Amino acid sequence: MKAGLVGFAQSGKTTLFNALTGLHKAGTPGRAHVNLGAIKVPDPRVDALSKIVKPRKTTFAEMVFVDVAGPSGKGAGLPAESLRALAEVDAFCLVVRGFVAADGTPPDAARDLRDFDAELVLSDLDVVEKRLDRLRKEHGKTGAEYHELERLHGHLESGKALRAMRWSDAEEKEMAHFGFLSRRPLLVVVNVSEEAAAQPAPESVEVAARERTAEAIALAAPVEAEIAELDPADQPEFLQSLGLTEPARARFVRAAYKLLDSISFFTVGEDEVKAWTIRRGDRAPRAAGRIHSDLERGFVKAEVIHYGDFLAAGSEAKARHEGKLRVEGKEYVVQDGDILHVRFAV
Ligand SMILES: Nc1nc2c(ncn2[C@@H]2O[C@H](COP(=O)(O)OP(=O)(O)O)[C@@H](O)[C@H]2O)c(=O)[nH]1
Ligand SMILES: [Mg+2]
């Protein structure tokens, strides 16, 4: 899973990037520069499985972040390098300023959200208009693509993001190559001051986010960066002093999973216990394909034990003995917490 940190300059993107990844990148990346970092997705189930199986290696799912330079101001548009880096992200994490700026400017997070979303809409409108022009010249005002794009044009022109549109799977596929920015799932992170670190996102932002089919969370990026620097043993006390129960990293990852409708499945063996990320609704062959493309191509069946059954039994052999192992075929929809063993032939 790959998330792009976006937002206006000085909103705290790089500070959040450092807090999430534990890296120490300086300031705002230049126009031709992007920061790239990955975090392990915390999952107590992986810890529990690892304790039982005692594998040589334990691997958590990964979430990759890209931190790019934002527009310098309202209407300035995203720099070309940023657009290129954002082409391949699964979701946008929009960082909006919720603290008083160095020059004393009070925050207006809801406005920044509206302005930034408008940038995404304008960028897509530009793409649609260019394609419509081209189609008009080549074929006149006819054809399925022309009419479909006209529909998107109307929607975008009314200022609305493509996120809110219902598309069939076929439409989704047809439109994929355009890489529309306003179609990407959006997680709004309000970077609040330390005093507000434990409070939910301001109501005005919640409302503006909901109107845009987006989710909102609040955190204080510099505080999170501090937490990331602490010895794990010292973290609980520091968190408690701020009124927090867990680092925002954990909340952030959960929100991102929810936003992308992602779930985890596991592979378990003496060599490795490993967590994998898939979309809810993915069938067994696609899940197998995350492990290796051969496993998807040559998928025969999957042996499945659910995490809860595995834990209750205490070992794979016992879970088998208790009849908790199911054999599933190509149509099986993988569930969050499934432990898979894929049988394949290529
Ligand atoms: N007071 C305060 N300053 C912050 C906060 N987050 C970031 N900053 C400061 O704002 C400036 C810009 O932060 P940075 O992360 O580089 O923003 P970016 O341009 O969005 O990447 C830096 O001087 C940060 O120290 C915050 O929550 N509170
Ligand atoms: Mg930056």
Side-chain angles (χ1 to χ4, degrees):
M1 187 193 307
K2 199 166 180 181
L5 297 178
V6 294
F8 291 112
Q10 303 291 304
S11 59
K13 296 183 294 297
T14 302
T15 308
L16 178 63
F17 175 86
N18 286 339
L20 291 168
T21 59
L23 296 171
H24 299 92
K25 299 291 180 180
T28 297
R31 296 211 146 233
H33 186 76
V34 297
N35 291 325
L36 201 65
I39 62 166
K40 291 178 174 61
V41 174
D43 190 336
R45 295 172 300 183
V46 175
D47 297 311
L49 287 172
S50 207
K51 237 178 168 171
I52 293 178
V53 180
K54 298 186 181 63
R56 278 183 276 281
K57 194 173 166 203
T58 300
T59 311
F60 291 82
E62 261 198 355
M63 193 161 170
V64 177
F65 296 98
V66 259
D67 171 28
V68 302
S72 44
K74 188 182 172 183
L78 279 159
E81 284 75 15
S82 299
L83 286 174
R84 265 196 287 283
L86 293 175
E88 56 194 63
V89 304
D90 302 307
F92 287 149
C93 164
L94 171 61
V95 183
V96 287
R97 185 169 60 86
F99 57 92
V100 178
D103 66 359
T105 314
D108 190 341
R111 180 204 56 204
D112 286 354
L113 162 56
R114 286 194 297 272
D115 287 351
F116 196 90
D117 198 42
E119 297 280 345
L120 301 180
V121 168
L122 279 177
S123 165
D124 288 349
L125 196 59
D126 189 49
V127 171
V128 169
E129 278 175 353
K130 285 202 172 103
R131 181 69 189 151
L132 280 172
D133 268 350
R134 176 110 192 235
L135 288 172
R136 226 176 273 128
K137 278 187 196 126
E138 286 175 2
H139 315 282
K141 298 181 177 181
T142 58
E145 188 188 0
Y146 186 87
H147 292 296
E148 180 64 26
L149 288 178
E150 280 263 87
R151 192 165 74 93
L152 300 198
H153 189 264
H155 182 92
L156 289 163
E157 221 177 23
S158 71
K160 285 194 281 233
L162 297 176
R163 233 174 284 121
M165 284 186 111
R166 274 183 192 283
W167 289 358
S168 67
D169 287 352
E171 283 171 320
E172 200 80 61
K173 246 190 186 148
E174 273 163 37
M175 297 298 169
H177 72 280
F178 287 111
F180 291 127
L181 300 181
S182 76
R183 182 70 182 167
R184 240 55 82 75
L186 182 66
L187 175 64
V188 182
V189 173
V190 191
N191 183 16
V192 294
S193 60
E194 185 172 327
E195 304 82 67
Q199 283 160 32
E203 180 63 21
S204 58
V205 179
E206 292 271 6
V207 170
R210 228 175 291 131
E211 283 169 6
R212 285 166 178 75
T213 329
E215 297 271 333
I217 61 169
L219 53 81
V223 173
E224 294 299 330
E226 246 177 276
I227 295 170
E229 293 297 309
L230 288 178
D231 202 294
D234 298 331
Q235 285 186 5
E237 200 185 322
F238 185 68
L239 287 167
Q240 210 183 353
S241 73
L242 293 161
L244 297 167
T245 51
E246 58 178 356
R249 173 197 284 218
R251 266 192 304 143
F252 181 95
V253 168
R254 269 206 307 278
Y257 262 65
K258 188 172 154 222
L259 183 74
L260 292 171
D261 219 1
S262 292
I263 58 170
S264 302
F265 76 90
F266 311 112
T267 49
V268 166
E270 279 171 19
D271 272 340
E272 190 177 23
V273 165
K274 184 164 181 169
W276 306 83
T277 307
I278 53 168
R279 287 288 177 92
R280 192 181 304 281
D282 279 353
R283 296 182 195 281
R286 166 139 342 144
R290 297 309 281 248
I291 303 170
H292 196 284
S293 55
D294 281 353
L295 270 63
E296 181 164 9
R297 269 194 305 129
F299 182 92
V300 177
K301 61 186 178 181
E303 295 173 359
V304 184
I305 305 174
H306 196 265
Y307 165 79
D309 294 330
F310 190 103
L311 211 69
S315 76
E316 183 174 329
K318 239 180 163 177
R320 267 174 196 273
H321 185 72
E322 289 168 10
K324 301 294 189 193
L325 184 143
R326 287 171 282 128
V327 177
E328 304 282 1
K330 287 186 176 168
E331 293 304 312
Y332 179 65
V333 174
V334 176
Q335 303 296 306
D336 188 36
D338 274 350
I339 297 167
L340 294 193
H341 194 92
V342 178
R343 302 283 177 199
F344 71 110
V346 283

